[in-house]
Amino acid sequence: MGTKRKKSESEAMEEYDDVVLDKKEKKKKMKKMEKEKEKEKEKKKEILPSMIKNKEKRSAVHAKLKHQKKVEKRKKLKARDAEEKRALELGEEPPPRKIPRTIENTRELDETVCKPDDELFAGNDADEFSSVLKRERIPKILITTSRFNSTRGPAFISELLEVIPNAHYYKRGTYDLKKIVEYAKKQDFTSLIVVHTNRREPDALLIIGLPDGPTAHFKLSRLVLRKEIKNHGNPTSHEPELVLTNFTTCLGHRIGRLIQSLFPQEPNFRGRRVVTFHNQRDYIFFRHHRYIFETKESKQSDSEGKNRKDGKGKKNTQQKVIARLQECGPRFTLKLRSLQHETFDTKGGEYEWVHKPEMDTSRRRFFL
């Protein structure tokens, strides 16, 4: 009694192995800790461009960091493409691509966003633009200026006349805008566009639907005329195709129909002209293009990478049709300021929507 049992050789060996494994695990943990500490030190030692006072050195460091980021991005893209290729070869579904977070797809929820089964689409037949959009009336546009015109104003208007079919320019003179609206109604115009200028530069557009309105006031910015666009094309007299994108809310839908009523609803596809109004973050970007079909010769190659030759020793070439866009101009950006019921009336007119500074509470809040 009281004597301790002697350990067998197998038990002693097991204990020895456990001690050795524990030591190895501790060593691994220590190495990891040391690596993490080294990384933290490197991060602390890393000099940011903003910390460098010398301009040349600062720009060199910035360019180096930018290049490193570009290389890392390329590596990630190559790895993703390799994974997709491997999955397709094995007959599996490729991994889903990540959707980047943007201001557009993280916008605030808006109750006025139109859906396909919305009642708004059913009421389109009774709005002010239905007669033009149903092709019961042909669009006829009157374009005029503010009382004090500028040097770039006439050039901009001459290009607008080429963009919008059946548009006519009338000098403003000293006439009041209400009298011009009445004259346009009598002459059976469907819309009136007023180009406002300030400091010799067009800065606003007023689009009035006739005879019953509405009136939309836009701020105009970043105007680039045709002659200022590199390798620009010259448009033809064919009626253009109209592309309206991202007008999703009730207000945006109404603005889209107002713009649509300026153009004929029967485009002539032989002219290859495209007019685009793209809404992004409540800025409406205008572009005017013509698409061109070009034939390019491409060399045929074998699986070994050698060019095929016919009996006479000439290389066989294959012709490919390539489509590209050529910008015709002008180029400008619109920002909606107000939408008024009926025709232009500053004193007694009712406003459907007016932009106010208090409304800009968030970067992710949009109205069109």
Side-chain angles (χ1 to χ4, degrees):
M1 297 292 288
T3 56
K4 290 182 179 179
R5 186 173 65 85
K6 288 182 179 180
K7 291 179 182 178
S8 63
E9 287 182 11
S10 61
E11 287 177 353
M13 287 293 289
E14 284 176 3
E15 284 182 7
Y16 177 74
D17 290 339
D18 290 338
V19 171
V20 171
L21 287 168
D22 288 338
K23 283 181 179 178
K24 284 181 179 178
E25 285 177 2
K26 283 179 181 177
K27 280 182 180 178
K28 284 180 181 178
K29 284 180 181 178
M30 289 293 286
K31 282 181 181 178
K32 280 184 180 178
M33 293 285 284
E34 285 174 4
K35 283 181 181 178
E36 286 176 2
K37 283 179 182 179
E38 283 176 4
K39 283 181 180 178
E40 285 177 5
K41 284 179 181 178
E42 283 177 3
K43 283 182 180 178
K44 286 178 181 177
K45 286 179 182 178
E46 189 181 355
I47 299 168
L48 296 171
S50 57
M51 295 162 68
I52 301 166
K53 291 183 179 180
N54 189 306
K55 188 177 179 181
E56 287 182 5
K57 288 183 179 179
R58 185 171 65 242
S59 59
V61 171
H62 175 72
K64 192 178 178 182
L65 289 171
K66 198 174 181 182
H67 179 69
Q68 285 175 358
K69 284 181 182 178
K70 206 172 184 179
V71 169
E72 286 172 7
K73 192 177 180 182
R74 279 178 186 169
K75 282 180 181 177
K76 285 180 182 178
L77 287 170
K78 280 182 180 179
R80 188 191 69 188
D81 292 341
E83 282 179 12
E84 286 180 358
K85 195 176 180 181
R86 199 183 303 115
L88 289 167
E89 284 174 357
L90 296 169
E92 298 173 357
E93 286 188 8
R97 290 197 174 191
K98 293 178 181 179
I99 301 167
R101 282 173 61 84
T102 60
I103 292 176
E104 283 81 11
N105 61 23
T106 57
R107 66 182 290 178
E108 289 183 3
L109 290 172
D110 194 347
E111 295 177 356
T112 62
V113 172
C114 301
K115 295 175 183 178
D117 56 345
D118 205 327
E119 293 179 1
L120 178 72
F121 294 102
N124 283 342
D125 297 335
D127 68 356
E128 302 94 329
F129 320 112
S130 58
S131 60
V132 175
L133 300 183
K134 283 181 179 178
R135 304 175 190 175
E136 293 172 3
R137 294 177 69 193
I138 298 168
K140 189 181 176 185
I141 317 300
L142 189 149
I143 300 176
T144 189
T145 60
S146 57
R147 285 183 178 174
F148 302 100
N149 202 357
S150 67
T151 51
R152 291 189 85 196
F156 175 52
I157 288 167
S158 67
E159 292 187 12
L160 271 184
L161 291 168
E162 291 180 359
V163 171
I164 304 170
N166 203 18
H168 307 272
Y169 170 66
Y170 285 75
K171 284 186 178 180
R172 174 70 180 269
T174 56
Y175 291 103
D176 190 36
L177 191 56
K178 287 185 180 179
K179 289 182 179 178
I180 295 170
V181 169
E182 292 298 323
Y183 172 79
K185 284 181 186 178
K186 289 175 183 176
Q187 297 296 321
D188 201 28
F189 283 96
T190 58
S191 296
L192 170 64
I193 298 175
V194 182
V195 180
H196 185 268
T197 55
N198 185 24
R199 295 180 182 178
R200 298 183 180 181
E201 188 74 22
D203 69 334
L205 273 185
L206 195 70
I207 302 175
I208 304 170
L210 300 174
D212 303 317
T215 302
H217 176 230
F218 296 96
K219 178 189 172 184
L220 189 145
S221 59
R222 296 185 181 181
L223 173 63
V224 181
L225 298 174
R226 185 183 302 143
K227 65 180 181 181
E228 297 164 5
I229 297 169
K230 191 178 179 182
N231 298 326
H232 65 82
N234 295 315
T236 59
S237 59
H238 296 84
E239 292 176 352
E241 300 173 53
L242 183 64
V243 179
L244 298 167
T245 55
N246 211 19
F247 292 90
T248 53
T249 62
C250 292
L251 177 65
H253 184 73
R254 192 154 169 74
I255 293 298
R257 283 179 70 82
L258 173 65
I259 293 167
Q260 195 178 354
S261 67
L262 300 173
F263 293 86
Q265 303 307 303
E266 294 179 355
N268 192 337
F269 297 103
R270 285 182 177 274
R272 307 192 308 276
R273 287 178 63 199
V274 186
V275 172
T276 307
F277 288 89
H278 174 71
N279 173 42
Q280 189 172 354
R281 303 180 195 177
D282 286 350
Y283 288 93
I284 302 169
F285 298 94
F286 173 86
R287 297 292 183 271
H288 180 206
H289 294 93
R290 63 191 291 261
Y291 47 92
I292 299 168
F293 297 106
E294 291 180 339
T295 54
K296 285 192 176 181
E297 291 183 352
S298 61
K299 295 176 183 178
Q300 287 185 342
S301 60
D302 292 334
S303 57
E304 296 175 0
K306 294 178 181 179
N307 294 322
R308 290 179 186 173
K309 295 183 179 181
D310 56 11
K312 296 178 181 178
K314 292 179 181 178
K315 292 178 182 179
N316 290 328
T317 55
Q318 188 180 7
Q319 287 189 343
K320 284 186 179 180
V321 178
I322 296 168
R324 68 178 182 87
L325 289 173
Q326 185 182 34
E327 193 168 356
C328 298
R331 183 196 300 170
F332 56 86
T333 306
L334 298 174
K335 174 85 170 174
L336 183 66
R337 289 300 177 197
S338 66
L339 184 67
Q340 186 180 353
H341 276 296
E342 298 180 353
T343 54
F344 180 76
D345 188 2
T346 52
K347 292 182 179 179
E350 292 183 10
Y351 285 88
E352 293 183 37
W353 185 85
V354 180
H355 180 265
K356 296 177 182 176
E358 307 91 62
M359 297 163 80
D360 298 331
T361 54
S362 170
R363 287 180 67 205
R364 289 174 169 80
R365 190 183 180 194
F366 308 121
F367 303 99
L368 297 182

